Amino acid sequence: MVNYIIRVGFDEPDAETYHRLAVELAKYNIAGAIKADDGKGFHLPPGEFCYSGVEPINEVRDAIHRFAQTIKSGSSVLVTEATTVSWSGLKPVE
């Protein structure tokens, strides 16, 4: 499995656009939260997502971009392969 961090941006986004995207991506196990080593979850900023899968990075990027375009045109997508992730200030999932 490969771990990916995904960033989706939109031209002139609003909170509803990011909420809708998060709800739809969650159906495909693409999460808007990240899990710490101790199992606790933390919410990522709007437009940030985590995904673990076997697909190559370019396939993940293209699929997310196509999907984001169905939510709102003018999307941009950045996908990075994550081996180590560190954060601060993220709100815990309750």
Side-chain angles (χ1 to χ4, degrees):
M1 296 282 262
V2 180
N3 297 312
Y4 296 110
I5 301 292
I6 301 162
R7 170 73 182 136
V8 179
F10 293 98
D11 295 336
E12 301 179 29
D14 56 32
E16 179 57 32
T17 300
Y18 282 122
H19 175 73
R20 186 171 162 219
L21 179 65
V23 167
E24 293 300 318
L25 289 179
K27 295 176 183 176
Y28 300 95
N29 294 320
I30 301 170
I34 193 165
K35 190 179 288 188
D37 291 340
D38 63 5
K40 294 179 182 174
F42 294 86
H43 293 286
L44 293 168
E48 301 270 347
F49 302 92
C50 291
Y51 175 68
S52 294
V54 297
E55 301 86 354
I57 194 168
N58 292 345
E59 286 182 23
V60 173
R61 179 205 59 213
D62 293 347
I64 296 294
H65 190 250
R66 280 191 307 272
F67 189 80
Q69 287 291 102
T70 69
I71 301 294
K72 185 174 182 179
S73 63
S75 65
S76 57
V77 175
L78 174 71
V79 179
T80 58
E81 185 176 331
T83 54
T84 304
V85 179
S86 180
W87 60 85
S88 178
L90 298 180
K91 295 180 182 178
V93 174
E94 310 252 341

